[in-house]
Amino acid sequence: NAGVTQTPKFRVLKTGQSMTLLCAQDMNHEYMYWYRQDPGMGLRLIHYSVGEGTTAKGEVPDGYNVSRLKKQNFLLGLESAAPSQTSVYFCASKLLWDRRNTEAFFGQGTRLTVV
Amino acid sequence: GDSVTQMEGPVTLSEEAFLTINCTYTATGYPSLFWYVQYPGEGLQLLLKATKADDKGSNKGFEATYRKETTSFHLEKGSVQVSDSAVYFCALSDLEAAGNKLTFGGGTRVLVKP
């Protein structure tokens, strides 16, 4: 069972460079999310998607873009990386059905350092 | 908006000690409540959940009760082990919020010493 898979697991970028983080889930979940984790701040939502072809802004969307062209994939892009985007990024997915009971499943995380 | 407040760590305990991590929340709707755990170098995994008032979630010796009157969901374990060393996150899922997204507390690092 692969669950939620994130690639890459680690990356170092120079300021101004761009990159794309890939999240893939094999559970046929409708909802997908991108969070960033910073010390003492818990996880903050960047963007989310409620289905293929749809995306929406979360709590901290500036400097990021996303796309969900296929139901199983959710891409997070940084067009021009900044040191403030140094963080650990987590992708999560969730079923639409029975929203009160369903849990979110998380990937292993991507540790990004912008120098 | 929705928010979750949990006690700051780190919390350092000896093996077999009692653990409690406080969590309170504010929500516009009637949320489901969760505790997630993050072991070193790993992603988050669900520890337990409660979906309505007075429900008790339990797993691996951990328990938490959904207290709507005090808007709390405190995590407890009667006798911790070294393997319980991790970061614990309290979270809520507000069904009335777009995307049914999770709102997290800041996390509490727990270190259990032998």
Side-chain angles (χ1 to χ4, degrees):
Chain A
N1 287 339
V4 180
T5 303
Q6 293 182 231
T7 52
K9 289 186 171 43
F10 303 93
R11 185 75 186 268
V12 178
L13 284 181
K14 294 183 178 179
T15 298
Q17 285 185 319
S18 64
M19 77 164 295
T20 300
L21 283 68
L22 171 64
C23 176
Q25 53 96 2
D26 61 0
M27 298 172 283
N28 204 33
H29 287 172
E30 291 81 6
Y31 291 149
M32 295 187 75
Y33 311 87
W34 276 108
Y35 288 89
R36 60 178 288 173
Q37 182 183 24
D38 301 294
M41 302 185 75
L43 279 75
R44 293 180 293 167
L45 184 65
I46 304 171
H47 286 280
Y48 64 96
S49 168
V50 300
E52 181 179 324
T54 71
T55 63
K57 293 180 180 180
E59 184 185 357
V60 287
D62 294 343
Y64 305 94
N65 56 75
V66 288
S67 64
R68 186 140 179 230
L69 300 180
K70 295 182 179 180
K71 186 177 184 180
Q72 63 268 33
N73 295 337
F74 195 30
L75 279 63
L76 177 71
L78 287 73
E79 290 188 349
S80 180
S84 61
Q85 294 177 304
T86 294
S87 186
V88 181
Y89 292 85
F90 286 99
C91 176
S93 71
K94 193 174 182 181
L95 264 179
L96 169 64
W97 176 80
D98 193 13
R99 294 184 300 161
R100 179 167 286 283
N101 282 296
T102 55
E103 65 181 273
F105 291 82
F106 284 81
Q108 294 285 79
T110 296
R111 184 175 295 277
L112 175 67
T113 302
V114 182
V115 298
Chain B
D2 299 337
S3 67
V4 176
T5 302
Q6 61 182 105
M7 57 190 292
E8 292 188 21
V11 175
T12 304
L13 302 165
S14 297
E15 213 165 16
E16 300 183 1
F18 182 85
L19 170 68
T20 182
I21 304 176
N22 291 337
C23 171
T24 58
Y25 68 90
T26 59
T28 52
Y30 186 179
S32 293
L33 301 175
F34 304 85
W35 277 99
Y36 280 84
V37 59
Q38 183 181 31
Y39 298 105
E42 298 185 10
L44 279 74
Q45 55 186 277
L46 181 69
L47 180 60
L48 53 84
K49 66 181 179 184
T51 60
K52 60 183 188 295
D54 300 325
D55 268 2
K56 178 186 283 188
S58 61
N59 185 28
K60 299 181 180 180
F62 290 89
E63 293 183 340
T65 301
Y66 190 143
R67 300 290 188 198
K68 196 162 186 274
E69 63 277 12
T70 56
T71 61
S72 64
F73 193 53
H74 305 321
L75 182 69
E76 296 181 338
K77 186 173 185 182
S79 177
V80 294
Q81 305 300 313
V82 172
S83 57
D84 294 324
S85 298
V87 181
Y88 293 82
F89 292 93
C90 185
L92 70 82
S93 177
D94 189 340
L95 302 188
E96 297 181 15
N100 195 215
K101 49 192 178 287
L102 284 167
T103 299
F104 287 89
T108 302
R109 183 177 299 278
V110 173
L111 177 61
V112 181
K113 296 186 174 180

